[in-house]
Amino acid sequence: MEGPYKYIRDGNGKVSRVIRIGTRNSQLARIQTDSVAEKLKGLYPDVHIEIVGMTTTGDKILDTALSKIGEKSLFTKELETALERNEVDLVVHSLKDLPTTLPPGFTIGAVLKRENPHDAVVLHPQNMGKSLDTLPDKSVIGTSSLRRAAQLKKRFPHLEFKDIRGNLNTRLKKLDEKGDFSAIILAAAGLRRMGWESRVSQILGPEDCMYAVGQGAIAIEVRAKDKDILEMVSVLHDPNTVLRCIAERAFLRRLEGGCSVPVAVHTEVKDSQLYLTGAVYSLDGSDSLKETMQTSIASDNKVEERVDEWVQRVGVTANNMPGPAQDASEKLGLDLANLLLSKGAKEILTLARELNDAR
C-alpha cells in the first residue's frame, strides 16, 4: 500500500489498519462523521476507525472578519491541511461547503445519498401554526444565505430579512431566546440529522426557494494519490446524487459563483433523464434569470475500459460509475450556465458580488 499508513495491534496480536477521519467539532459535523464511520465499519470490519476533531483559530476570530472569508471555508482549509500532512486519511464535509475547484492533490472520493435538499422554515414558538405567507407585515426572518434572502424577498415582499450567524444550535438559541426573529431559514437536511424535525414548520419547494449546489449531500474528501482509500470510500457513492451534484457543481463553477453570490439550483432524475434548473439573482431578488435543461444519463451497463478511472469531474472522482453519464451531467451544468451567461447572468452576479462586498 502507498503512503504513511498507521496500524495498531490488539491484545491478541492482530494488526489492523487505522483509518483517521477528520471532522469539524460542531454537533452536526460530528453526527455526519459518525454516520460515515458506521458505514465504513460495516463494510470493513477489520479496519480500526479513529475520529479526529478539528478545532480552529476561527472560533476566536470576530464575526465581522469571519463573515468576509466564511467560518466554514476556514474549517475546510484546516481540515485539508490535516489531510495534506497525513494527520488524517479522509475528511467528512457537507458537500455544499466544498468549493467547485479543490486544491491540487485532493478529490471528493464519495458523495453519499442525498437527504432532502430543500430549505425549511423554523418559527419562533409564539408564531406556531403560521407560515411565511401568514406572518404579519415586517416580520423579521433570519438567514445567513444571500441565495435564500434573494429568492424569499421577491416571493414574500411583506417580510424583512436579516443576517443570523453561527452553527445550527446557536441559530436556534438566538431564535428562541431573543425576540429579534419571527422565523429562521435552515437546511432541512441538517435539522433532520440533528433530530429536530419537530421544529420544521414548512419545507420550501422550488417555487418558493431553490436550494444551494450540493445541499443535503455528504462528501468524503481524500488525497487524490491514495488509491486504496479512494477504492475504499467509493462504494459509498450514491449514483443519482453523484450525477445531480456533478451537474450542479459544473453549473456553479462555470458561473464563477460561490457563497458570495445568489445562485440556486434544482435537480431531478426521472426515466434516465437528468433535469437541472439553475438561477441567478440580484441581492434583492428583483432581477433574476432562470432556465431548465435536461440530458440523458442512460447507461448500457457495458464493462467500460477503465482508462479514465481516476478522472476528476468538478472535484469528484467516481471510478465505479459509468464515465459517459458523468460527462453528460457535467456538460449539462456547463450548457445551462452558458445559456444564462448569454442572457446576462454575469452582469447580475458581478453587481451582486460588488454590493455584497461593500456591505
Side-chain angles (χ1 to χ4, degrees), residues 96 114-120 147-148 186-189 203-204 209-212 214-217 244 248 265-267:
K96 73 182 170 83
R114 194 175 212 166
E115 286 271 3
N116 181 345
H118 295 283
D119 290 316
R147 169 190 59 80
R148 290 171 183 149
L186 298 167
I203 297 283
L204 297 169
C209 189
M210 296 202 304
Y211 41 82
Q215 185 160 313
R244 289 169 65 190
E248 293 172 18
V265 293
H266 180 265
T267 48

Side-chain angles (χ1 to χ4, degrees), residues 14-15 21 27 33 47 58 75 77 90 95 97 105 129-130 158 201 206 216 260 270 309 318 329-330 354:
K14 184 184 170 192
V15 176
I21 305 179
Q27 190 183 351
T33 302
V47 168
F75 271 106
K77 288 187 177 73
L90 51 107
L95 180 59
D97 296 340
K130 292 192 169 72
H158 68 293
S201 309
S260 60
K270 206 159 68 179
E309 189 170 8
S329 303
E330 186 173 22
E354 287 168 357

Side-chain angles (χ1 to χ4, degrees), residues 160-177:
E160 294 186 355
F161 294 85
K162 289 199 175 151
D163 256 5
I164 184 167
R165 299 206 165 268
N167 61 33
L168 280 186
N169 309 57
T170 306
R171 291 184 205 193
L172 279 173
K173 202 170 174 189
K174 284 180 182 174
L175 172 69
D176 291 344
E177 295 181 6

Side-chain angles (χ1 to χ4, degrees), residues 287-355:
D287 201 1
S288 65
L289 286 168
K290 180 175 163 184
E291 294 287 348
T292 303
M293 292 176 80
Q294 70 190 79
T295 191
S296 169
I297 49 165
S299 168
D300 55 15
N301 286 325
K302 280 195 308 200
V303 177
E304 293 181 1
E305 291 292 320
R306 298 297 286 270
V307 287
D308 65 342
E309 189 170 8
W310 305 110
V311 167
Q312 279 197 46
R313 294 169 181 87
V314 279
V316 179
T317 300
N319 61 310
N320 56 343
M321 286 176 53
Q326 295 182 64
D327 291 337
S329 303
E330 186 173 22
K331 184 175 185 299
L332 177 66
L334 291 171
D335 288 348
L336 186 65
N338 285 331
L339 177 62
L340 291 189
L341 288 168
S342 74
K343 297 186 172 201
K346 191 167 185 64
E347 291 70 22
I348 292 174
L349 292 178
T350 299
L351 183 58
R353 191 178 276 115
E354 287 168 357
L355 288 172

Side-chain angles (χ1 to χ4, degrees), residues 73-234:
S73 65
L74 201 68
F75 271 106
T76 301
K77 288 187 177 73
E78 295 264 338
L79 288 163
E80 283 174 341
T81 300
L83 201 54
E84 192 171 28
R85 291 176 178 164
N86 293 306
E87 293 164 0
V88 296
D89 301 298
L90 51 107
V91 174
V92 177
H93 300 277
S94 293
L95 180 59
K96 73 182 170 83
D97 296 340
L98 280 176
T100 52
T101 302
L102 298 181
F106 300 109
T107 190
I108 296 164
V111 180
L112 282 66
K113 188 173 174 60
R114 194 175 212 166
E115 286 271 3
N116 181 345
H118 295 283
D119 290 316
V121 179
V122 180
L123 293 167
H124 188 283
Q126 71 185 27
N127 293 317
M128 290 315 280
K130 292 192 169 72
S131 67
L132 292 185
D133 270 319
T134 59
L135 281 171
D137 278 10
K138 306 275 188 243
S139 293
V140 176
I141 311 301
T143 175
S144 59
S145 158
L146 299 176
R147 169 190 59 80
R148 290 171 183 149
Q151 293 179 84
L152 296 173
K153 279 174 186 172
K154 189 176 183 181
R155 175 71 180 78
F156 303 99
H158 68 293
L159 302 174
E160 294 186 355
F161 294 85
K162 289 199 175 151
D163 256 5
I164 184 167
R165 299 206 165 268
N167 61 33
L168 280 186
N169 309 57
T170 306
R171 291 184 205 193
L172 279 173
K173 202 170 174 189
K174 284 180 182 174
L175 172 69
D176 291 344
E177 295 181 6
K178 296 182 178 178
D180 299 350
F181 300 101
S182 299
I184 58 176
I185 313 295
L186 298 167
L191 289 164
R192 204 207 71 75
R193 288 180 187 131
M194 295 282 276
W196 293 338
E197 294 106 317
S198 61
R199 291 301 308 266
V200 175
S201 309
Q202 183 182 358
I203 297 283
L204 297 169
E207 65 287 346
D208 289 331
C209 189
M210 296 202 304
Y211 41 82
V213 165
Q215 185 160 313
I218 291 174
I220 301 176
E221 188 179 18
V222 300
R223 290 179 290 269
K225 68 178 192 300
D226 276 356
K227 302 299 187 244
D228 64 323
I229 296 271
L230 259 172
E231 289 279 6
M232 187 180 277
V233 301
S234 68

